Amino acid sequence: MKIAFPLLVIGLLVTAGVRSTCLAIDNGSTLRPAAEEVHFAPLVTEANLVVEFTFESVKAYEDPFNDIMVDAVFTDPSGVKRRVPAFWAGGSSWRVRYASSITGMHRFQTECSDTGNAELHGVRGSLTVTPYTGENPLFRRGALRVADDGRHFAHADGTPFFWLGDTWWMGLVKRLRWPQDFQELAADRRDKGFTVIQLVAGLYPDMPAFDERGLGDEGLPWEKGFERIRPEFFDAADKRITHLVEQGLVPCILGTWGYYLPWMGTEKMKQHWRYIIARWGALPVVWTAAGEQAMPWYLSGSKETETVLLRREWNEVIRHIRATDPFHRLLTTHPRNNARDELLDPVLLDFEMQQTGHGQPTEHHAAKALEAWNRPPFVPVISGESRYEALEIKAMPGAKEVREAFWAHLLNSGCAGHTYGVNGVWQVNLPDQRFGKSPGGFDWGGTPWREAMNLPGSTQLGIGKAFLLTLAWHQLAPDTVAFKNAVSAASNAEGTLALAYTTGGQTVLADLGKLSGSLSARWFDPVSGAEVAVPGKPFPATGSREFTPPGPNAAGEGDWVLLLRGK
């Protein structure tokens, strides 16, 4: 069901009377009235909803995007100040977007690098924030943060949040038509239980810069040569990003693919990220600095040298993102393997995002998860790119392989979440227009996006998430002690909840002495969601016991999840 809410409250610009008691001197001789004091009419909005203020400059600039910089410094009712960047909206317009969970009066004053521009510098305004009255969980509970245990995600109010992501790298291209196609895909993912959509802000993978396959509804995000941003691209992208939020889906925005940085230069990449933050930072988003951040251009002739440069320069860009974002949205990066290996200072990242391989065996996914879980500093861990369903590689992954990677990594990484991907959606194939080859010569396949949307893997991961939400999943940690013959396992600290995953119908040996209470046991079918009780319950939390899956699952395959619960 669609959740409607007023996403933007638009500020109304008014001017005060001329300050008649103040005169300015022009050329040392002529007296003229000082500039008018410009301010906004007071506004009222609800907590976490976005307010947009538009500022029109009378003074013209030859290159407004590069010539000046505008911020608005907001002071909340507790006295905390936040410097919110404005974005150039084209022509002589700049806009500021702001949101807050704190009720009461908020005041702002603009600061412009051209301090003589009275329409952009020193403009004052205020708004009153009242409690949110809608039903959208992203506004009612707030944007995402790291949970208090440091290992999972939560809303701002502490409500646990399970990350079930979908991969739409090219979700802003015009091949995925707005509104019909984009909204259809968003509704499908929402209804299946997805909570996060990972997509790139126009500087896409698997193509060179300014490739026509990256065209959005209003062209490309930058002018050729990266001289200046194109606001038209982002105006169109606004509709898509805000629609995801409207559906209760968190946009996880990758600013670019990593290899664009040497082409643009570090300072221009900082400009790119400042613009993204100004556009979308007031929304409940998650930032991912870049895709495959330290991977050089596919055809680079100096990959080792370029990797060193990318790790160093992206480190600086991520520092810039941290310093520029006044809303402190969660920040990570998308890696070749581990996010924390893609830069020099890994503590800049809020959580570990891994890429665990499209063709790697299931045990590899489990091992990578456990490795990241045990690596200090301890943070939430997810696989942000795993086996893509229907990816046309030597051994094409199907629903079984996708499902196995999900459970193998999830339980061994503490159940913070997982991202799904399907070939055809991430690059937006059409029936008569497949994406085609990447610069390295790979053609990942031609499955059209709508057909890919309906492949069974996405449904089965949604079933898995629904099962986990019936449990205290946010209290789980990997368990390498209590189970043998399981691919992955997790339990809570009290020993009253445990899960173990097996892929080939193997008997799982459980050391019940590591658990507590009077234990019940059930097998969960990760294909259908059906549960089968283990005969002979309850079991005392002593000794060891073998648990054998009840036969093939609903797909005729051998993977099951063992659930043990203590009273």
Side-chain angles (χ1 to χ4, degrees), residues 348-419:
L348 291 171
L349 305 180
D350 291 312
F351 64 99
E352 177 70 280
M353 178 179 280
Q354 293 186 299
Q355 181 172 176
T356 50
H358 299 301
Q360 296 284 358
T362 301
E363 293 75 14
H364 169 84
H365 295 265
K368 291 289 290 182
L370 199 59
E371 173 189 304
W373 172 269
N374 289 322
R375 176 180 175 177
F378 301 126
V379 294
V381 177
I382 66 165
S383 179
E385 183 171 340
S386 185
R387 291 170 172 167
Y388 283 177
E389 191 168 8
L391 189 69
E392 294 184 17
I393 56 178
K394 186 175 181 180
M396 185 170 71
K400 174 179 179 291
E401 288 73 29
V402 166
R403 195 172 64 240
E404 287 183 358
F406 171 78
W407 286 104
H409 193 281
L410 184 74
L411 296 185
N412 269 15
S413 60
C415 293
H418 187 88
T419 296

Side-chain angles (χ1 to χ4, degrees), residues 491-530:
S491 62
N492 65 3
E494 294 78 18
T496 57
L497 174 63
L499 297 170
Y501 180 61
T502 179
T503 59
Q506 308 101 308
T507 294
V508 174
L509 179 64
D511 183 351
L512 302 185
K514 301 295 184 183
L515 304 177
S516 62
S518 180
L519 299 167
S520 64
R522 303 180 72 85
W523 286 102
F524 169 75
D525 183 342
V527 176
S528 68

Side-chain angles (χ1 to χ4, degrees), residues 442-558:
F442 295 105
D443 186 332
W444 302 110
T447 307
W449 74 264
R450 185 173 283 106
E451 179 183 331
M453 176 184 75
N454 292 313
L455 290 175
S458 58
T459 297
Q460 292 170 17
L461 267 58
I463 287 170
K465 178 215 169 191
F467 166 68
L468 288 163
L469 292 190
T470 67
L471 311 170
W473 57 269
H474 54 283
Q475 298 175 2
L476 295 172
D479 190 332
T480 60
V481 177
F483 297 94
K484 293 183 179 179
N485 298 332
V487 172
S488 57
S491 62
N492 65 3
E494 294 78 18
T496 57
L497 174 63
L499 297 170
Y501 180 61
T502 179
T503 59
Q506 308 101 308
T507 294
V508 174
L509 179 64
D511 183 351
L512 302 185
K514 301 295 184 183
L515 304 177
S516 62
S518 180
L519 299 167
S520 64
R522 303 180 72 85
W523 286 102
F524 169 75
D525 183 342
V527 176
S528 68
E531 295 185 34
V532 179
V534 175
K537 63 175 185 173
F539 307 102
T542 58
S544 297
R545 184 179 177 89
E546 292 183 338
F547 294 92
T548 302
N553 60 31
E557 293 156 347

